[in-house]
């Protein structure tokens, strides 16, 4: 005798011959869980029937046409849902369609070469944005601020890099062409420090203008978006300059990396900055140390990564993982930070 288990409920017991007939009728399937009424053993229905030497064969309910009629045209072609616009209320459908069809739609629009690169960069930014929103959203996160952070970062970096060229005034940039370990100074205090400070500008503005205490996770999210914005801006520049001179395979890989992993790294580093900026505003007595950490840790991670990318790729990957590990650990231990800083302030 067998019990049939569905949704943690027991039905029966039935003798094996009856269960085999249920399988033939299609009301029970072979991979349903069954339990031997005598021994308590659990396994699939098919297992117990095979052990008893009972063969099963599900009888078809007519031919294909009869089965299609049974399903019904209203389920196969849901005209009612289309007419009454139910689909417009399904946000998952709309997001899925936009994400999946956006590149195809862009093929219909004539645009210059740099426009193609920039549009695709925006496309991947949206995908990263949805990913980060799913994992890091808080009740304080708004779409308006998210979009503002993204394009504010674009605008600021464009002004600083392309219009005024202020990065030329950082003498450490020249050291990036030196042999190791001198180039490490250039990548940390030149590239890392300059780029991380640029990405942090929107976060300082948000923290300054906030009308309520900003949660660390909130500013982490906005930091991730600022980092993505910088990453795709830098990526478009590389795709239209450096990558053009590479062979096909290297250029293809470089372009993909500039749309995926590298913006992700920029995001992680800026997310770490957002974490400490948030705490600096929650506990202003320790803002000097927290602001220092907001700048120093991302700049160091950035500089180490760029240095080891020059030949020690495995070390660069390890540094990348450490950045992700630090951000997730910081978020997990937010309560410890709060307890420690509150305790010192008392």
């Amino acid at each position: 005798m067998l019990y049939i288990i569905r949704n943690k409920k027991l039905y029966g017991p039935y003798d094996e011959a009856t269960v085999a007939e249920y399988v033939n009728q299609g009301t029970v399937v072979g991979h349903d869980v069954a339990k031997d009424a005598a021994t308590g053993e659990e396994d699939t229905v098919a297992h117990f029937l095979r052990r008893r030497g009972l063969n099963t064969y599900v009888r078809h309910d007519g031919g294909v046409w009869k089965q299609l009629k049974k399903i019904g045209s209203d389920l196969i072609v849901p005209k009612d849902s289309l007419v009454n616009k139910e689909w417009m209320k399904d946000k998952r459908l709309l997001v899925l369609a936009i994400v999946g069809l956006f590149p195809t739609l862009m093929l219909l629009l004539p645009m210059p070469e740099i426009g193609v690169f920039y549009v695709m960069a925006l496309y991947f930014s949206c995908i990263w944005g949805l990913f980060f929103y799913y994992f890091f959203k808080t009740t304080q996160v708004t779409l308006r601020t998210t979009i503002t952070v993204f394009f504010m970062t674009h605008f600021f970096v464009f002004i600083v890099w392309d219009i005024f060229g202020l990065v030329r005034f950082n003498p450490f940039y020249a050291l990036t062409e030196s042999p190791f370990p001198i180039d490490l100074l250039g990548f940390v205090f030149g590239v890392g420090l300059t780029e991380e400070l640029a990405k942090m500008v929107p976060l300082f503005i948000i923290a300054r203008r906030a009308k309520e205490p900003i949660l660390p996770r909130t500013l982490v999210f906005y930091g991730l978006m600022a980092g993505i914005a910088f990453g795709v801006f830098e990526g478009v520049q590389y795709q239209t300059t450096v990558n053009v001179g590479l062979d096909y395979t290297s250029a293809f890989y470089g372009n993909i990396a500039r749309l995926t992993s590298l913006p992700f790294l920029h995001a992680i580093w800026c997310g770490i900055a957002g974490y400490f900026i948030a705490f600096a505003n929650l506990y202003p007595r320790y803002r000097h140390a927290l602001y220092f950490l907001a700048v120093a840790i991302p700049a160091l991670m950035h500089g180490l990564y760029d240095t080891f990318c020059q030949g020690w790729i495995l070390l660069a990957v390890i540094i990348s993982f450490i950045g992700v590990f630090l951000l997730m650990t910081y978020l997990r231990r937010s309560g410890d930070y709060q307890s420690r800083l509150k305790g010192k302030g008392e």
Side-chain angles (χ1 to χ4, degrees), residues 210-272:
K211 297 180 181 180
E212 62 176 340
I214 298 291
L215 298 172
R217 185 178 290 269
T218 298
L219 216 55
V220 165
F221 173 78
Y222 289 134
L224 293 168
M225 295 309 301
I228 286 293
F230 183 93
V232 299
F233 178 88
E234 182 183 65
V236 170
Q237 289 188 321
Y238 270 84
Q239 289 177 83
T240 55
T241 55
V242 177
N243 291 2
V244 173
L246 302 176
D247 63 89
Y248 177 81
T249 302
S250 298
F252 175 80
Y253 175 79
N255 290 343
I256 295 298
R258 286 290 171 183
L259 294 173
T260 53
S261 291
L262 296 180
F264 171 76
L265 292 178
H266 278 290
I268 292 297
W269 298 327
C270 196
I272 292 174

Side-chain angles (χ1 to χ4, degrees), residues 96-122:
L96 183 64
I98 291 172
V99 171
L101 299 177
F102 183 82
T104 303
L105 292 175
M106 289 302 99
L107 294 176
L108 303 175
L109 302 177
M111 61 182 68
E113 180 181 89
I114 192 171
V116 174
F117 286 109
Y118 192 74
V119 165
M120 292 308 300
L122 289 178

Side-chain angles (χ1 to χ4, degrees), residues 127-138 141 217-218 220-221 224-225 264 268 327-328 331:
I127 294 177
W128 276 123
L130 291 171
F131 177 82
F132 290 141
Y133 181 78
Y134 177 80
F135 279 100
F136 299 98
K137 66 179 178 180
T138 70
V141 169
R217 185 178 290 269
T218 298
V220 165
F221 173 78
L224 293 168
M225 295 309 301
F264 171 76
I268 292 297
L327 177 59
M328 300 309 297
L331 286 171

Side-chain angles (χ1 to χ4, degrees), residues 128-162:
W128 276 123
L130 291 171
F131 177 82
F132 290 141
Y133 181 78
Y134 177 80
F135 279 100
F136 299 98
K137 66 179 178 180
T138 70
T139 55
Q140 294 177 324
V141 169
T142 66
L143 179 61
R144 179 179 178 181
T145 303
T146 301
I147 294 175
T148 300
V149 166
F150 185 85
F151 288 104
M152 180 192 299
T153 305
H154 268 293
F155 178 76
F156 180 77
V157 173
F158 175 73
I159 294 296
V160 171
W161 262 255
D162 291 357

Side-chain angles (χ1 to χ4, degrees), residues 12-126:
Y14 311 102
D15 62 77
E16 284 82 348
T18 300
V19 174
E21 181 59 26
Y22 286 156
V23 173
N24 293 336
Q25 295 173 2
T27 54
V28 173
V29 293
H31 55 258
D32 270 329
V33 179
K35 179 178 180 179
D36 191 302
T39 66
E41 177 189 359
E42 290 188 11
D43 211 310
T44 64
V45 167
H47 168 78
F48 286 113
L49 295 183
R50 282 196 302 268
R51 194 163 67 181
R52 286 290 304 274
L54 295 171
N55 297 319
T56 59
Y57 180 79
V58 180
R59 293 187 288 272
H60 296 289
D61 187 6
V64 173
W65 182 249
K66 182 180 178 181
Q67 293 177 21
L68 288 174
K69 289 181 65 176
K70 179 67 175 180
I71 295 172
S73 61
D74 59 316
L75 295 181
I76 299 173
V77 183
K79 294 178 291 186
D80 292 343
S81 297
L82 184 63
V83 172
N84 60 28
K85 299 181 180 179
E86 286 183 6
W87 59 275
M88 297 185 68
K89 301 175 184 178
D90 191 340
K91 293 183 179 179
R92 292 179 303 173
L93 167 65
L94 297 176
V95 170
L96 183 64
I98 291 172
V99 171
L101 299 177
F102 183 82
T104 303
L105 292 175
M106 289 302 99
L107 294 176
L108 303 175
L109 302 177
M111 61 182 68
E113 180 181 89
I114 192 171
V116 174
F117 286 109
Y118 192 74
V119 165
M120 292 308 300
L122 289 178
Y123 172 69
F124 279 93
S125 299
C126 291

